[in-house]
Amino acid sequence: MRLTTDWLLDWRRRTADDLTAIDALFEEVHGYSPYEACEVCDEDADCGCPPPGGRVVPADERSRALAERHAAAPGYPAELALFHRVVAEAWLMNVDHGYHLAAAGRPDCCCPGPGHEELAAGVTGFPLGSDGGGLIFAVGTDGRVYRSAGASWESDFEPVQPDLRSFLEWLADAVADFRERTEAFAAAG
């Protein structure tokens, strides 16, 4: 099935709702708040550390303009451009070992690189995000989602999902499952 704006809006809403429910029970279940200050930066908002908890940031005029600029790059995947027209970025720091879907073309600590790299023979990849261990997710010019074997663009990459929608469904399932486990643990409490 194709990725559509309506599907992405629903994905954004469902994922945000699940993250809100997880954050609401997090301290009760885990014994500390997901909103405690970063020990490295002592609440410096520009430290580069991920925000606490989880959130899906809706695209705004600025993020859409950035997405359009990157969408003009040769081979830039149409589904990745559509994703960034709806979602600026997503932080899922309390789900499993954490995930970050980076802003369009933004090389940072979670998704380093110049914006595109060769993933496999004849397949260029564009940054999508990373997990809490630093493994990189990228969308290839063939439409598949790839994951690095190590925390570097120099690592080997392997396909992990046939397309971006499948990857987002997998991620939404992980968030929903984590919510269910968190609620069950709180109820057993």
Side-chain angles (χ1 to χ4, degrees):
M1 296 192 58
R2 293 188 42 83
L3 195 62
T4 65
T5 300
D6 287 341
W7 188 90
L8 282 166
L9 288 167
D10 183 61
W11 179 89
R12 187 178 76 189
R13 180 197 52 77
R14 286 182 295 117
T15 303
D17 289 350
D18 285 342
L19 291 170
T20 299
I22 291 166
D23 284 355
L25 293 171
F26 192 89
E27 186 168 7
E28 176 184 340
V29 170
H30 298 285
Y32 64 95
S33 171
Y35 299 103
E36 291 177 4
C38 174
E39 294 175 11
V40 173
C41 60
D42 194 28
E43 297 187 50
D44 179 357
D46 295 324
C47 69
C49 296
R55 66 180 178 191
V56 178
V57 181
D60 59 15
E61 187 176 316
R62 182 177 161 272
S63 65
R64 282 188 197 101
L66 182 61
E68 292 305 320
R69 189 170 77 231
H70 287 280
Y76 197 86
E79 288 191 338
L80 186 56
L82 178 59
F83 174 77
H84 282 116
R85 288 183 191 109
V86 177
V87 177
E89 64 185 322
W91 297 91
L92 300 92
M93 303 319 294
N94 294 331
V95 175
D96 297 331
H97 54 282
Y99 297 96
H100 175 227
L101 300 181
R106 182 176 129 193
D108 61 15
C109 64
C110 297
C111 198
H116 62 279
E117 294 287 329
E118 185 173 30
L119 303 179
V123 179
T124 301
F126 294 84
L128 173 60
S130 64
D131 70 8
L135 299 183
I136 300 165
F137 294 102
V139 179
T141 50
D142 61 359
R144 295 189 291 178
V145 176
Y146 290 78
R147 181 183 59 217
S148 65
S152 166
W153 281 100
E154 285 76 39
S155 298
D156 290 334
F157 280 79
E158 63 181 2
V160 292
Q161 292 292 338
D163 54 39
L164 183 55
R165 180 172 172 159
S166 298
F167 176 81
L168 294 172
E169 287 173 343
W170 168 80
L171 196 57
D173 288 346
V175 174
D177 180 62
F178 194 80
R179 176 184 180 170
E180 289 174 17
R181 287 184 282 138
T182 300
E183 290 172 339
F185 193 84

